[in-house]
Amino acid sequence: MNTNNEKRVNNFWNGQALLKHFTGTGWLSVKKRAATVSLIFFSFFLLFSVLISVGWFNDAYVIAGDYFFWSTTTVTSTPAPSPKEFPVAVKVEFPLNCSTWNVTCPANYPVTFEIKESYAVVCPEYTRWIHEDLRPWRRTGITRDMVERGKDLADFRLVILKGKVYVERYRRSFQTRDLFTIWGILQLRRLYPGRIPDLDLMFNCGDMPLIRKRDYQGPNATQPPPLFHYCADDETLDIVFPDWSFWGWAEINIRPWMSASKALKQGNTRIKWVDREPYAYWKGNPRVSRLRGALMWCNPSDKYDWKARLHRQDWTAETRSGFKNSKLEDQCFNKYKIYIEGRAWSVSEKYILACDSMTLLVMPKYYDFFTRSLVPLKHYWPIRATNLCKDIKFAVDWGDNHTDKAQAIGEAASRFVQEDLRMEFVYDFMFHSLTEYAKLLRYEPTIPPGAVEACSETMACPEKGLVQEFMVESMVRSPKDTLPCTLPPPYDLPDLETLVLRRFNEDTWDPAE
């Protein structure tokens, strides 16, 4: 909408264009003035209605709650006005209203939104794993009893009912993991209002997956409780879901993924790959796992150099200094970067893959929602956990002797992160995961007695500092007017066997052979 039309629209609905005409006319009494204004308003609306009915306008102004936008429904076959004369469409925006002292969810919050016709693109390959994550319940479905048996393991329970979100908290998670996880689901609701089905789920925000396969095997075994979580492994059945850091990690000043990925892309341009340091770089907390502790022995010594440069991250000191030395985009200065798990999976993987450096990936035990699509020697170089230092040096030496191939591996990983892991697809993974999960429910969800309605206002308005800043920064302001990406079909048995075999080969391969 151009500036003149904006003023015309705003003046019309505020009544300013007419009232201004009578300002300062003292010969009219207040009562007579009000009557005159009302008469003119009525006449103008009558004229406006007639013009629409005879097709003078192809588009019409629409009021929906507190939101003002253009309706693109064609009324007649009359040629559309010139774009300079009238705007074609303006997106509906959901403002965040923190002005009242008692913050509640707006009563007129949209729960439906009509999308325009579109052809959805196919979702990234990693979305196919949604079918496998939900396979344990395909035959039996999911009952209320199954869900509630996961209560002792969950940090919160989340119910979506008729487009509204309700949350029952059981305990506070570490830092603000639960807050930003719930925030992410609320933003999905803003992106696709009315399109998320009714559902009832339990969510755990800890490091370790908790639903062990062996506890639900045998002739007398019960069905496992469905529990959403950030990661799983071959021995667990947790349903993987995007972690909180996609909307920001306030405690260590990592911005929401949409901003962080752009900063990383820009950071890649500061030093050309050929001019980067020819070492394998890692910076993190080595105290969270034995494997990370072992990695630190690969630092150079007086006798030997394993071609690794490994640094301890002191988050307490970084917090005091205002995080001056921990910006992710400032750490893309090496040709090689190392990814290694902590207690379980680590959210650092996407940041490491985004650096254009060839990622030396210490073979992980755990997976998150997207890592099962990564291909060895295409997106990363595998490093055996049992042979850390030698494998790291071999990889660096290989890369130094095959610079084009090493650079190509780094760029493929960065391209995967920037294209297949952009927030649009993260939200679509969430959408399909929740939709497929809801199809398995064998009962009608209800609001738990201890649950309260949650929305962007009740989450963001009471917060302060970086928590509120990151919530506002990552907030979805307008619904998407196109379809989500198309969920690929499940893997067939030969495909799964190939993927399992690939995983086995990674765990046992010797790069020197």
Side-chain angles (χ1 to χ4, degrees):
M1 186 182 291
N2 60 41
T3 304
N4 290 334
N5 282 333
E6 284 184 357
K7 291 180 178 178
R8 188 187 311 162
V9 170
N10 291 333
N11 289 341
F12 171 72
W13 289 109
N14 293 330
Q16 293 173 358
L18 293 174
L19 289 175
K20 184 177 179 181
H21 179 73
F22 294 99
T23 301
T25 53
W27 58 274
L28 278 177
S29 66
V30 174
K31 183 175 181 180
K32 187 174 182 181
R33 191 181 309 169
T36 305
V37 172
S38 300
L39 178 61
I40 293 176
F41 260 111
F42 177 77
S43 302
F44 192 89
F45 269 112
L46 184 62
L47 175 61
F48 189 72
S49 301
V50 171
L51 289 175
I52 293 174
S53 67
V54 299
W56 201 80
F57 289 132
N58 267 25
D59 295 326
Y61 287 112
V62 178
I63 291 293
D66 292 338
Y67 308 108
F68 176 74
F69 61 99
W70 278 92
S71 167
T72 56
T73 304
T74 303
V75 180
T76 72
S77 59
T78 305
S82 166
K84 295 181 180 180
E85 196 172 349
F86 294 103
V88 176
V90 173
K91 274 193 171 183
V92 183
E93 288 203 358
F94 302 156
L96 185 69
N97 183 11
C98 296
S99 59
T100 59
W101 68 271
N102 185 21
V103 178
T104 58
C105 295
N108 59 348
Y109 195 89
V111 292
T112 60
F113 186 77
E114 185 175 350
I115 63 171
K116 67 182 182 182
E117 291 186 9
S118 65
Y119 295 97
V121 299
V122 178
C123 296
E125 179 73 11
Y126 57 78
T127 57
R128 296 184 74 177
W129 288 100
I130 291 173
H131 304 291
E132 300 308 314
D133 292 340
L134 296 174
R135 187 176 296 278
W137 301 276
R138 288 292 180 194
R139 181 177 57 83
T140 62
I142 297 172
T143 65
R144 191 187 301 273
D145 174 69
M146 291 180 194
V147 171
E148 293 183 342
R149 279 194 286 111
K151 181 176 180 179
D152 292 340
L153 304 174
D155 291 309
F156 64 84
R157 182 177 191 171
L158 186 140
V159 172
I160 297 179
L161 198 60
K162 296 181 180 179
K164 295 186 177 183
V165 178
Y166 303 88
V167 177
E168 183 178 26
R169 293 177 182 274
Y170 300 128
R171 55 178 174 263
R172 189 67 180 262
S173 70
F174 178 66
Q175 296 181 339
T176 51
R177 292 184 182 189
D178 54 350
L179 291 180
F180 279 96
T181 300
I182 297 168
W183 176 261
I185 296 174
L186 291 173
Q187 302 321 296
L188 176 68
R189 172 212 180 193
R190 291 168 73 96
L191 189 68
Y192 294 121
R195 295 185 64 82
I196 305 173
D198 292 354
L199 56 83
D200 180 8
L201 62 84
M202 297 286 184
F203 207 109
N204 175 268
C205 301
D207 286 332
M208 307 296 294
L210 300 175
I211 308 300
R212 297 176 298 184
K213 288 182 181 179
R214 68 172 182 263
D215 294 339
Y216 302 95
Q217 294 175 343
N220 299 320
T222 59
Q223 280 296 106
L227 183 68
F228 281 78
H229 185 231
Y230 307 125
C231 74
D233 62 14
D234 295 338
E235 300 171 357
T236 55
L237 299 172
D238 296 48
I239 304 171
V240 294
F241 202 74
D243 67 78
W244 73 95
S245 66
F246 282 94
W247 297 273
W249 192 349
E251 287 80 7
I252 58 174
N253 196 35
I254 292 182
R255 306 199 74 82
W257 177 237
M258 187 173 291
S259 302
S261 61
K262 290 179 181 177
L264 284 162
K265 187 175 183 179
Q266 182 63 32
N268 284 338
T269 65
R270 297 177 187 173
I271 305 176
K272 293 182 180 180
W273 193 88
V274 294
D275 297 327
R276 295 186 180 189
E277 294 290 327
Y279 303 108
Y281 175 87
W282 181 80
K283 188 175 185 179
N285 183 359
R287 295 180 298 177
V288 296
S289 71
R290 291 184 178 180
L291 190 57
R292 285 190 177 184
L295 175 67
M296 301 304 291
W297 287 98
C298 301
N299 260 321
S301 66
D302 295 337
K303 297 181 179 180
Y304 206 77
D305 187 354
W306 297 105
K307 300 292 183 72
R309 298 297 182 265
L310 314 168
H311 306 271
R312 298 175 184 271
Q313 176 69 72
D314 186 341
W315 285 115
T316 302
E318 274 301 295
T319 302
R320 291 171 182 163
S321 67
F323 305 100
K324 293 180 180 179
N325 302 309
S326 58
K327 291 183 178 179
L328 298 170
E329 61 271 24
D330 293 341
Q331 299 178 27
C332 298
F333 52 81
N334 284 73
K335 291 182 179 179
Y336 315 95
K337 293 197 71 173
I338 298 171
Y339 169 78
I340 186 169
E341 293 180 330
R343 290 191 64 208
W345 104 111
S346 171
V347 301
S348 65
E349 188 164 10
K350 57 182 176 292
Y351 309 117
I352 292 171
L353 291 167
C355 258
D356 273 359
S357 308
M358 185 173 87
T359 298
L360 310 186
L361 192 144
V362 180
M363 294 314 301
K365 172 179 172 59
Y366 303 96
Y367 55 81
D368 64 13
F369 77 100
F370 73 86
T371 51
R372 287 172 285 185
S373 283
L374 297 175
V375 179
L377 304 184
K378 176 183 177 181
H379 299 115
Y380 63 89
W381 183 279
I383 300 294
R384 293 171 294 178
T386 55
N387 208 38
L388 282 173
C389 301
K390 289 183 179 180
D391 278 6
I392 289 172
K393 185 179 185 303
F394 184 92
V396 172
D397 288 342
W398 180 90
D400 288 345
N401 293 318
H402 303 82
T403 55
D404 290 345
K405 293 179 180 179
Q407 185 175 359
I409 293 174
E411 290 177 347
S414 184
R415 187 164 52 250
F416 171 87
V417 168
Q418 293 291 344
E419 295 177 3
D420 286 7
L421 202 60
R422 61 182 188 264
M423 279 306 300
E424 174 186 356
F425 287 139
V426 174
Y427 279 124
D428 284 358
F429 179 94
M430 296 164 60
F431 174 84
H432 287 301
S433 179
L434 296 179
T435 299
E436 295 300 309
Y437 171 83
K439 291 177 183 178
L440 298 176
L441 295 183
R442 296 294 179 260
Y443 65 98
E444 295 293 330
T446 55
I447 304 172
V452 295
E453 185 180 357
C455 61
S456 297
E457 282 76 9
T458 60
M459 293 290 291
C461 295
E463 298 297 334
K464 297 178 181 179
L466 286 180
V467 174
Q468 187 182 74
E469 181 181 334
F470 288 177
M471 285 183 173
V472 173
E473 181 178 323
S474 62
M475 187 176 71
V476 170
R477 287 165 173 76
S478 299
K480 187 179 178 184
D481 59 359
T482 56
L483 294 167
C485 63
T486 301
L487 180 65
Y491 288 108
D492 56 26
L493 186 57
D495 288 339
L496 280 176
E497 289 176 346
T498 300
L499 293 171
V500 171
L501 182 62
R502 187 179 78 188
R503 176 70 178 273
F504 173 78
N505 289 336
E506 288 179 76
D507 290 339
T508 58
W509 88 308
D510 186 346
E513 291 181 354

